[in-house]
Amino acid sequence: RRDAVTVIADGKVKVNGETATEPGYKVQPTDEVIFNGKKLFVTKNLVYILLNKPKDYITTTDDPQGRKTVLQLIKAATDERVYPVGRLDRNTSGVLLLTNDGDLTQKLSHPSYEIRKIYEVKLDKQLTKTDFEKILSGLTLEDGLVLVDSLAYADAKDKSVIGIEIHSGRNRIVRRIFESLGYDVKGLDRVMYAGLTKKNVERSKWRYLSDKEIRLLKFMNESKRNKNRPTD
């Protein structure tokens, strides 16, 4: 607490955009606190939930239009206020992480960490070899070049089912890749996110992350940060 008084006196703390001057101020849950340029998150009980999201649920915490949200599916999991990490479109299913660990959320959401994601895509027609090669080579969309990490036919007998690995977090990126080549995406399922899979988790069901999974997520981000850190 004595240290906190010192850093406040040094002008290193901002609350809601204003430099803090009163050490006795009680921080509210809605306050944004910045220390040395970094946002701080205060939580008592950290919760990590993996949901196998079904279609027709949105990933916002509430919806003025009254549509179904993913929080309704995990309401029995915790009394803490958790948030989805990243977004899945309403009609996209699969792995979704929800947590109140703001620091981890910030890291997983930052483009520099290049979080790996794998999707299974169901198209309205078979993906031609020509278009397969175009995607692998890189496509230029309205918001720039997009590169995929890998691409494969998920079913040798049905070339309309595609597996795609990508680390881009751009909005609706997987759908836009195929739509740009004239395909209609009939189904999109995220089967892996940051090393987490939906194995043994039925659609609409959830589970808590194991301690090992949480450690791996945090280590992965720490190693990525160290890798990107400039050297002298």
Side-chain angles (χ1 to χ4, degrees):
R1 187 173 295 178
R2 240 183 263 116
D3 291 340
V5 172
T6 301
V7 297
I8 289 171
D10 290 344
K12 295 179 179 179
V13 178
K14 288 187 176 183
V15 178
N16 300 326
E18 300 289 334
T19 300
T21 56
E22 178 51 62
Y25 174 76
K26 290 185 178 180
V27 176
Q28 303 301 309
T30 54
D31 288 339
E32 180 185 67
V33 181
I34 305 292
F35 170 55
N36 274 348
K38 183 178 180 181
K39 186 174 180 180
L40 301 183
F41 299 90
V42 181
T43 45
K44 295 180 181 178
N45 181 30
L46 295 178
V47 181
Y48 307 85
I49 299 165
L50 185 151
L51 171 70
N52 187 350
K53 177 190 173 298
K55 291 175 62 176
D56 297 324
Y57 281 79
I58 59 175
T59 55
T60 51
T61 52
D62 53 71
D63 181 53
Q65 299 179 41
R67 293 172 296 181
K68 296 179 289 187
T69 75
V70 292
L71 293 186
Q72 294 171 291
L73 296 170
I74 55 101
K75 60 184 178 182
T78 181
D79 292 328
E80 299 288 338
R81 188 163 177 80
V82 296
Y83 299 87
V85 179
R87 299 175 66 89
L88 283 181
D89 291 346
R90 181 179 180 181
N91 290 321
T92 302
S93 58
V95 177
L96 181 66
L97 176 63
L98 300 102
T99 183
N100 57 351
D101 187 335
D103 189 44
L104 180 63
T105 297
Q106 197 171 54
K107 290 177 179 178
L108 290 173
S109 303
H110 198 280
S112 67
Y113 286 93
E114 300 183 350
I115 300 303
R116 292 175 59 231
K117 312 168 190 79
I118 299 176
Y119 294 84
E120 183 177 280
V121 189
K122 175 63 178 175
L123 302 175
D124 62 329
K125 55 189 175 184
Q126 296 194 30
L127 180 67
T128 66
K129 185 177 179 180
T130 299
D131 288 338
F132 187 102
E133 295 298 333
K134 284 181 181 179
I135 295 171
L136 273 183
S137 298
L139 293 175
T140 300
L141 305 180
E142 62 271 20
D143 53 354
L145 179 68
V146 58
L147 298 170
V148 306
D149 299 307
S150 62
L151 193 69
Y153 292 110
D155 185 340
K157 297 180 180 178
D158 184 358
K159 293 186 176 181
S160 67
V161 182
I162 312 299
I164 182 170
E165 180 181 329
I166 194 166
H167 61 259
S168 171
R170 282 146 63 179
N171 188 42
R172 297 184 73 253
I173 190 65
V174 176
R175 291 184 184 275
R176 290 193 290 124
I177 285 171
F178 292 99
E179 288 170 356
S180 72
L181 295 171
Y183 296 87
D184 185 14
V185 176
K186 294 295 186 182
L188 185 58
D189 187 58
R190 187 159 71 186
V191 297
M192 193 276 283
Y193 173 80
L196 302 172
T197 73
K198 55 194 177 73
K199 181 181 179 182
N200 299 326
V201 182
E202 297 178 6
R203 190 79 77 209
S204 302
K205 303 298 184 182
W206 58 269
R207 68 169 177 83
Y208 299 111
L209 293 194
S210 67
D211 289 341
K212 181 180 179 181
E213 287 173 323
I214 296 168
R215 286 196 303 271
L216 286 173
L217 280 177
K218 293 187 175 184
F219 174 77
M220 174 180 63
N221 281 280
E222 191 62 32
S223 62
K224 175 67 75 172
R225 186 179 73 175
N226 292 337
K227 181 181 176 182
N228 290 339
R229 184 177 292 160
T231 55
D232 294 333

Coordinates of all heavy atoms in Angstrom, one line a residue, residues 97-156:
L97 N -13.6 -19.5 -25.6 CA -13.1 -19.3 -24.3 C -13.8 -18.1 -23.6 O -13.9 -17.0 -24.2 CB -11.6 -19.1 -24.3 CG -10.9 -18.8 -23.0 CD1 -11.0 -20.0 -22.0 CD2 -9.4 -18.5 -23.2
L98 N -14.3 -18.3 -22.4 CA -14.8 -17.2 -21.6 C -14.1 -17.1 -20.3 O -13.8 -18.1 -19.6 CB -16.3 -17.4 -21.3 CG -17.2 -17.5 -22.6 CD1 -17.5 -19.0 -22.9 CD2 -18.5 -16.7 -22.4
T99 N -13.7 -15.9 -19.8 CA -13.0 -15.7 -18.6 C -13.2 -14.3 -18.1 O -13.6 -13.4 -18.8 CB -11.5 -16.0 -18.9 OG1 -10.8 -15.9 -17.6 CG2 -10.9 -15.0 -19.9
N100 N -12.8 -14.1 -16.8 CA -12.7 -12.8 -16.2 C -11.2 -12.4 -16.0 O -11.0 -11.4 -15.3 CB -13.5 -12.7 -14.9 CG -13.0 -13.7 -13.9 OD1 -12.2 -14.6 -14.2 ND2 -13.5 -13.7 -12.7
D101 N -10.3 -13.1 -16.6 CA -8.9 -12.8 -16.5 C -8.6 -11.8 -17.6 O -8.3 -12.1 -18.8 CB -8.1 -14.1 -16.7 CG -6.6 -13.9 -16.5 OD1 -6.1 -12.7 -16.7 OD2 -5.9 -14.8 -16.2
G102 N -8.7 -10.5 -17.3 CA -8.5 -9.5 -18.2 C -7.1 -9.4 -18.9 O -7.0 -9.1 -20.1
D103 N -6.1 -9.7 -18.1 CA -4.7 -9.7 -18.6 C -4.6 -10.8 -19.7 O -4.0 -10.5 -20.8 CB -3.7 -10.0 -17.5 CG -2.3 -9.7 -17.9 OD1 -2.1 -8.7 -18.6 OD2 -1.4 -10.6 -17.6
L104 N -5.1 -12.0 -19.5 CA -5.0 -13.0 -20.5 C -5.8 -12.7 -21.7 O -5.4 -12.9 -22.8 CB -5.4 -14.4 -19.9 CG -5.4 -15.6 -20.8 CD1 -3.9 -15.9 -21.3 CD2 -6.0 -16.8 -20.2
T105 N -7.0 -12.2 -21.5 CA -7.9 -11.8 -22.6 C -7.2 -10.8 -23.5 O -7.2 -10.9 -24.7 CB -9.2 -11.2 -22.1 OG1 -9.9 -12.2 -21.3 CG2 -10.1 -10.7 -23.2
Q106 N -6.5 -9.8 -22.9 CA -5.8 -8.8 -23.6 C -4.7 -9.4 -24.5 O -4.5 -9.0 -25.6 CB -5.2 -7.7 -22.6 CG -4.9 -6.4 -23.3 CD -4.5 -5.4 -22.2 OE1 -3.7 -5.6 -21.3 NE2 -5.2 -4.2 -22.2
K107 N -4.0 -10.3 -23.9 CA -2.9 -11.0 -24.6 C -3.4 -11.8 -25.8 O -2.9 -11.7 -26.9 CB -2.1 -11.8 -23.7 CG -1.2 -11.0 -22.7 CD -0.5 -11.9 -21.7 CE 0.3 -11.1 -20.7 NZ 1.0 -12.0 -19.8
L108 N -4.4 -12.6 -25.5 CA -4.9 -13.5 -26.5 C -5.6 -12.7 -27.7 O -5.6 -13.2 -28.8 CB -6.0 -14.5 -26.0 CG -5.5 -15.6 -25.0 CD1 -6.6 -16.3 -24.4 CD2 -4.6 -16.5 -25.8
S109 N -6.0 -11.5 -27.4 CA -6.7 -10.7 -28.4 C -5.8 -9.9 -29.2 O -6.1 -9.3 -30.3 CB -7.8 -9.8 -27.8 OG -8.7 -10.6 -27.0
H110 N -4.5 -9.8 -28.8 CA -3.6 -8.9 -29.5 C -3.0 -9.6 -30.7 O -2.5 -10.7 -30.6 CB -2.4 -8.4 -28.5 CG -1.7 -7.2 -29.0 ND1 -0.7 -7.3 -30.0 CD2 -1.8 -5.9 -28.6 CE1 -0.3 -6.1 -30.2 NE2 -0.9 -5.2 -29.4
P111 N -3.0 -8.9 -31.8 CA -2.5 -9.5 -33.1 C -1.1 -10.0 -33.0 O -0.7 -11.0 -33.7 CB -2.7 -8.4 -34.1 CG -3.7 -7.4 -33.5 CD -3.5 -7.5 -32.1
S112 N -0.2 -9.4 -32.2 CA 1.2 -9.8 -32.2 C 1.4 -11.2 -31.6 O 2.4 -11.8 -31.9 CB 2.0 -8.8 -31.3 OG 1.6 -8.9 -30.0
Y113 N 0.4 -11.7 -30.9 CA 0.6 -13.1 -30.4 C 0.2 -14.2 -31.4 O 0.5 -15.3 -31.2 CB -0.2 -13.2 -29.1 CG 0.4 -12.5 -27.9 CD1 0.0 -11.2 -27.6 CD2 1.4 -13.1 -27.2 CE1 0.6 -10.5 -26.6 CE2 2.0 -12.4 -26.1 CZ 1.6 -11.1 -25.8 OH 2.2 -10.4 -24.8
E114 N -0.4 -13.8 -32.5 CA -0.7 -14.7 -33.6 C -1.3 -16.0 -33.1 O -0.8 -17.1 -33.3 CB 0.6 -14.9 -34.4 CG 1.1 -13.7 -35.0 CD 2.4 -13.9 -35.9 OE1 2.9 -15.1 -35.9 OE2 2.8 -13.0 -36.6
I115 N -2.4 -15.9 -32.4 CA -3.1 -17.1 -31.9 C -3.6 -18.0 -33.0 O -4.3 -17.6 -33.9 CB -4.2 -16.7 -30.9 CG1 -3.7 -15.9 -29.8 CG2 -4.9 -18.0 -30.4 CD1 -2.6 -16.5 -28.9
R116 N -3.2 -19.3 -32.9 CA -3.6 -20.3 -33.9 C -5.1 -20.7 -33.7 O -5.5 -21.0 -32.6 CB -2.7 -21.5 -33.9 CG -1.3 -21.3 -34.3 CD -0.5 -22.5 -34.1 NE -1.0 -23.7 -34.9 CZ -1.3 -24.9 -34.4 NH1 -1.1 -25.1 -33.1 NH2 -1.7 -25.8 -35.2
K117 N -5.8 -20.8 -34.9 CA -7.2 -21.2 -34.9 C -7.4 -22.2 -36.0 O -6.8 -22.0 -37.1 CB -8.1 -20.0 -35.0 CG -7.8 -18.9 -34.1 CD -8.6 -17.6 -34.6 CE -8.2 -16.4 -33.8 NZ -6.9 -15.8 -34.4
I118 N -8.1 -23.3 -35.8 CA -8.4 -24.2 -36.9 C -9.9 -24.3 -37.0 O -10.7 -24.5 -36.0 CB -7.8 -25.6 -36.6 CG1 -6.3 -25.6 -36.5 CG2 -8.2 -26.6 -37.7 CD1 -5.6 -26.9 -36.1
Y119 N -10.4 -24.2 -38.3 CA -11.8 -24.3 -38.6 C -12.1 -25.4 -39.5 O -11.3 -25.8 -40.4 CB -12.3 -23.0 -39.2 CG -12.2 -21.8 -38.4 CD1 -11.1 -21.0 -38.2 CD2 -13.4 -21.3 -37.7 CE1 -11.0 -19.9 -37.4 CE2 -13.3 -20.2 -36.9 CZ -12.2 -19.5 -36.8 OH -12.1 -18.3 -36.0
E120 N -13.3 -26.0 -39.4 CA -13.8 -26.9 -40.4 C -14.9 -26.1 -41.2 O -15.9 -25.6 -40.6 CB -14.4 -28.2 -39.8 CG -14.9 -29.1 -40.9 CD -15.4 -30.4 -40.3 OE1 -14.6 -31.3 -40.0 OE2 -16.6 -30.6 -40.2
V121 N -14.8 -26.0 -42.5 CA -15.7 -25.2 -43.3 C -16.5 -26.1 -44.2 O -15.9 -27.0 -44.9 CB -14.8 -24.2 -44.2 CG1 -15.8 -23.2 -44.9 CG2 -13.8 -23.5 -43.3
K122 N -17.8 -25.9 -44.3 CA -18.6 -26.7 -45.2 C -19.1 -25.7 -46.3 O -19.8 -24.7 -46.0 CB -19.8 -27.2 -44.4 CG -20.9 -27.9 -45.3 CD -20.3 -29.1 -46.0 CE -21.4 -29.8 -46.9 NZ -20.8 -30.9 -47.7
L123 N -18.7 -26.0 -47.5 CA -19.0 -25.1 -48.6 C -20.2 -25.6 -49.4 O -20.6 -26.8 -49.3 CB -17.8 -25.0 -49.6 CG -16.5 -24.5 -49.0 CD1 -15.4 -24.5 -50.0 CD2 -16.7 -23.0 -48.4
D124 N -20.8 -24.7 -50.2 CA -22.0 -25.1 -51.0 C -21.6 -25.9 -52.3 O -22.4 -26.5 -52.9 CB -22.7 -23.8 -51.5 CG -21.9 -22.9 -52.4 OD1 -20.6 -22.9 -52.2 OD2 -22.4 -22.3 -53.3
K125 N -20.3 -26.0 -52.5 CA -19.8 -26.8 -53.7 C -18.3 -27.2 -53.4 O -17.7 -26.7 -52.4 CB -19.9 -26.0 -55.0 CG -19.2 -24.7 -54.9 CD -19.5 -23.9 -56.2 CE -18.9 -22.5 -56.1 NZ -19.2 -21.6 -57.2
Q126 N -17.8 -28.1 -54.2 CA -16.4 -28.6 -54.0 C -15.4 -27.4 -54.3 O -15.6 -26.7 -55.2 CB -16.2 -29.8 -54.9 CG -17.0 -31.0 -54.5 CD -16.5 -32.3 -55.2 OE1 -15.3 -32.4 -55.4 NE2 -17.4 -33.2 -55.5
L127 N -14.4 -27.4 -53.4 CA -13.3 -26.4 -53.6 C -12.4 -26.9 -54.7 O -11.8 -28.0 -54.6 CB -12.6 -26.2 -52.3 CG -11.4 -25.2 -52.4 CD1 -11.9 -23.8 -52.6 CD2 -10.6 -25.3 -51.1
T128 N -12.3 -26.1 -55.8 CA -11.4 -26.6 -56.9 C -9.9 -26.5 -56.5 O -9.5 -25.8 -55.6 CB -11.6 -25.7 -58.1 OG1 -11.2 -24.4 -57.8 CG2 -13.1 -25.7 -58.5
K129 N -9.1 -27.3 -57.2 CA -7.7 -27.3 -57.0 C -7.1 -25.9 -57.2 O -6.2 -25.4 -56.5 CB -7.0 -28.3 -57.8 CG -5.5 -28.4 -57.6 CD -4.9 -29.5 -58.4 CE -3.4 -29.6 -58.1 NZ -2.7 -30.7 -58.9
T130 N -7.6 -25.2 -58.2 CA -7.1 -23.8 -58.5 C -7.4 -22.9 -57.4 O -6.5 -22.1 -57.0 CB -7.8 -23.3 -59.8 OG1 -7.5 -24.2 -60.9 CG2 -7.4 -21.9 -60.1
D131 N -8.6 -22.9 -56.8 CA -8.9 -22.0 -55.7 C -8.2 -22.4 -54.4 O -7.8 -21.6 -53.6 CB -10.4 -22.0 -55.5 CG -11.2 -21.3 -56.6 OD1 -10.5 -20.4 -57.3 OD2 -12.4 -21.5 -56.8
F132 N -8.0 -23.7 -54.3 CA -7.2 -24.3 -53.2 C -5.8 -23.6 -53.2 O -5.3 -23.1 -52.1 CB -7.1 -25.8 -53.3 CG -6.5 -26.5 -52.1 CD1 -7.2 -27.1 -51.2 CD2 -5.1 -26.5 -52.0 CE1 -6.6 -27.8 -50.1 CE2 -4.5 -27.1 -50.9 CZ -5.3 -27.8 -50.0
E133 N -5.2 -23.6 -54.3 CA -3.8 -23.0 -54.5 C -3.8 -21.5 -54.3 O -2.9 -21.0 -53.7 CB -3.3 -23.4 -55.8 CG -3.0 -24.9 -56.1 CD -2.0 -25.5 -55.1 OE1 -1.1 -24.7 -54.6 OE2 -2.1 -26.7 -54.8
K134 N -4.9 -20.9 -54.7 CA -5.0 -19.4 -54.6 C -5.0 -19.0 -53.1 O -4.4 -18.1 -52.7 CB -6.3 -18.9 -55.2 CG -6.2 -18.8 -56.7 CD -7.5 -18.2 -57.3 CE -7.5 -18.1 -58.8 NZ -8.8 -17.6 -59.3
I135 N -5.8 -19.8 -52.3 CA -5.9 -19.5 -50.9 C -4.5 -19.8 -50.2 O -4.1 -18.9 -49.4 CB -7.0 -20.4 -50.2 CG1 -8.4 -20.1 -50.8 CG2 -7.0 -20.2 -48.7 CD1 -9.5 -21.0 -50.3
L136 N -3.9 -20.8 -50.6 CA -2.6 -21.1 -50.0 C -1.5 -20.1 -50.3 O -0.6 -19.8 -49.5 CB -2.1 -22.5 -50.4 CG -2.5 -23.7 -49.6 CD1 -1.9 -25.0 -50.2 CD2 -2.1 -23.6 -48.2
S137 N -1.6 -19.5 -51.5 CA -0.7 -18.5 -52.0 C -0.9 -17.2 -51.3 O 0.0 -16.3 -51.3 CB -0.8 -18.4 -53.5 OG -0.4 -19.6 -54.1
G138 N -2.1 -16.9 -50.8 CA -2.5 -15.7 -50.2 C -3.4 -14.9 -51.0 O -3.2 -14.7 -52.3
L139 N -4.5 -14.4 -50.4 CA -5.5 -13.6 -51.1 C -5.5 -12.2 -50.6 O -5.3 -11.9 -49.5 CB -6.9 -14.2 -50.9 CG -7.2 -15.6 -51.4 CD1 -8.6 -16.1 -50.9 CD2 -7.2 -15.6 -52.9
T140 N -5.8 -11.3 -51.5 CA -5.9 -9.9 -51.2 C -7.4 -9.5 -51.1 O -8.1 -9.5 -52.1 CB -5.2 -8.9 -52.2 OG1 -3.8 -9.3 -52.2 CG2 -5.3 -7.5 -51.7
L141 N -7.8 -9.2 -49.9 CA -9.2 -8.9 -49.7 C -9.3 -7.3 -49.5 O -8.3 -6.6 -49.6 CB -9.8 -9.6 -48.4 CG -9.7 -11.1 -48.4 CD1 -10.2 -11.7 -47.1 CD2 -10.4 -11.7 -49.6
E142 N -10.5 -6.8 -49.2 CA -10.7 -5.4 -49.1 C -9.8 -4.7 -48.0 O -9.5 -3.5 -48.1 CB -12.2 -5.0 -49.0 CG -12.8 -5.5 -47.7 CD -13.4 -6.9 -47.8 OE1 -13.0 -7.6 -48.7 OE2 -14.2 -7.3 -47.0
D143 N -9.5 -5.5 -47.0 CA -8.7 -5.0 -45.9 C -7.2 -5.5 -46.0 O -6.5 -5.5 -44.9 CB -9.3 -5.3 -44.6 CG -9.6 -6.8 -44.4 OD1 -9.4 -7.5 -45.3 OD2 -10.0 -7.1 -43.2
G144 N -6.8 -6.0 -47.1 CA -5.4 -6.3 -47.3 C -5.1 -7.8 -47.5 O -6.1 -8.6 -47.6
L145 N -3.9 -8.2 -47.6 CA -3.5 -9.6 -47.8 C -3.8 -10.4 -46.6 O -3.6 -10.1 -45.5 CB -1.9 -9.6 -48.1 CG -1.3 -11.0 -48.4 CD1 -1.8 -11.5 -49.7 CD2 0.2 -10.8 -48.4
V146 N -4.3 -11.7 -46.9 CA -4.5 -12.6 -45.9 C -3.8 -13.9 -46.2 O -3.9 -14.4 -47.3 CB -6.0 -12.9 -45.6 CG1 -6.7 -13.4 -46.9 CG2 -6.2 -13.9 -44.5
L147 N -3.0 -14.4 -45.3 CA -2.3 -15.7 -45.4 C -2.8 -16.7 -44.5 O -3.1 -16.4 -43.3 CB -0.8 -15.4 -45.2 CG -0.1 -14.4 -46.1 CD1 1.3 -14.1 -45.6 CD2 0.0 -15.0 -47.5
V148 N -3.0 -17.9 -45.0 CA -3.4 -19.0 -44.1 C -2.2 -19.9 -43.7 O -1.2 -19.9 -44.5 CB -4.5 -19.9 -44.8 CG1 -5.7 -19.1 -45.2 CG2 -3.9 -20.7 -45.9
D149 N -2.2 -20.5 -42.6 CA -1.1 -21.4 -42.2 C -1.1 -22.7 -42.8 O -0.1 -23.3 -43.2 CB -1.1 -21.5 -40.6 CG -1.0 -20.2 -40.0 OD1 -0.1 -19.4 -40.3 OD2 -1.9 -19.8 -39.1
S150 N -2.3 -23.3 -43.0 CA -2.4 -24.6 -43.7 C -3.9 -24.7 -44.2 O -4.8 -24.1 -43.7 CB -2.0 -25.7 -42.8 OG -2.9 -25.8 -41.7
L151 N -4.0 -25.6 -45.2 CA -5.3 -25.9 -45.8 C -5.4 -27.3 -46.2 O -4.4 -27.9 -46.7 CB -5.5 -24.9 -47.0 CG -6.9 -24.8 -47.6 CD1 -7.8 -24.1 -46.7 CD2 -6.8 -24.1 -49.0
A152 N -6.5 -28.0 -46.0 CA -6.6 -29.4 -46.4 C -8.1 -29.8 -46.6 O -9.0 -29.1 -46.1 CB -6.0 -30.3 -45.3
Y153 N -8.3 -30.8 -47.5 CA -9.6 -31.3 -47.6 C -9.8 -32.2 -46.4 O -9.1 -33.2 -46.2 CB -9.7 -32.2 -48.9 CG -9.6 -31.3 -50.2 CD1 -8.5 -31.4 -51.0 CD2 -10.7 -30.5 -50.5 CE1 -8.4 -30.6 -52.2 CE2 -10.6 -29.7 -51.7 CZ -9.5 -29.8 -52.5 OH -9.4 -29.0 -53.6
A154 N -10.9 -31.9 -45.6 CA -11.1 -32.7 -44.4 C -11.6 -34.1 -44.7 O -11.5 -35.0 -43.9 CB -12.1 -31.9 -43.5
D155 N -12.3 -34.2 -45.9 CA -12.8 -35.5 -46.3 C -12.4 -35.8 -47.7 O -12.7 -35.1 -48.6 CB -14.4 -35.5 -46.2 CG -15.0 -36.8 -46.5 OD1 -14.4 -37.7 -47.1 OD2 -16.2 -37.0 -46.1
A156 N -11.6 -36.9 -47.9 CA -11.1 -37.2 -49.3 C -12.2 -37.4 -50.3 O -12.0 -37.2 -51.5 CB -10.2 -38.4 -49.2

